[in-house]
Amino acid sequence: MLDLDNFKKVNDQFGHVIGDKVLVGLADHLRNMLSTKNSACSVGRWGGEEFMVVMPDTDLDSALAFAEKIRAEFARIKFERAGCQTMSVGVAQIRSGEDADALCIRVDDALYAAKRSGKNQVKAG
């Protein structure tokens, strides 16, 4: 799960049209990154400026490395008027016997741990 850092400031300072361009740019970036992975991987907007990436048959270390690559490469993209933006990312691997709700809670907790730790980073949950 990933969330753009300080995205409200983008909308407040530059307007929702520019904010939407950042969101579209992020979606394009995620699709491009995932095109290099297994076709079973998928991405979707979770809500607001949050996105969820699902990577079946991927171990936690590989998912963390891929999340770091997504984060680092996104931070170098320069958006019209909004410049470079950053994201915080939470990564979790489903545990034996765990349901989807519990997994979502853990990945959300990891995301907010990244936010609390200074943003623009990846944390495991």
Side-chain angles (χ1 to χ4, degrees), residues 21-33 43 51 74:
K21 288 182 180 185
V22 172
L23 290 174
V24 169
L26 172 56
D28 289 344
H29 174 66
L30 292 170
R31 274 194 299 273
N32 290 337
M33 296 291 294
V43 62
F51 288 75
F74 179 75

Side-chain angles (χ1 to χ4, degrees), residues 29-96:
H29 174 66
L30 292 170
R31 274 194 299 273
N32 290 337
M33 296 291 294
L34 286 174
S35 71
T36 67
K37 288 290 189 194
N38 157 342
S39 63
C41 295
S42 60
V43 62
R45 191 167 174 193
W46 191 251
E49 64 275 5
E50 289 182 337
F51 288 75
M52 182 76 78
V53 177
V54 177
M55 301 174 66
D57 303 319
T58 304
D59 64 54
L60 184 61
D61 288 338
S62 297
L64 284 165
F66 190 65
E68 177 57 29
K69 184 174 180 180
I70 288 171
R71 185 208 60 76
E73 290 185 16
F74 179 75
R76 290 193 292 269
I77 298 171
K78 290 186 181 176
F79 291 96
E80 174 190 347
R81 296 184 57 205
C84 294
Q85 298 296 310
T86 63
M87 68 173 72
S88 296
V89 186
V91 178
Q93 182 175 20
I94 196 159
R95 295 174 178 160
S96 179

Side-chain angles (χ1 to χ4, degrees), residues 10-30:
V10 172
N11 281 332
D12 290 349
Q13 187 173 359
F14 304 110
H16 290 274
V17 171
I18 297 298
D20 287 349
K21 288 182 180 185
V22 172
L23 290 174
V24 169
L26 172 56
D28 289 344
H29 174 66
L30 292 170

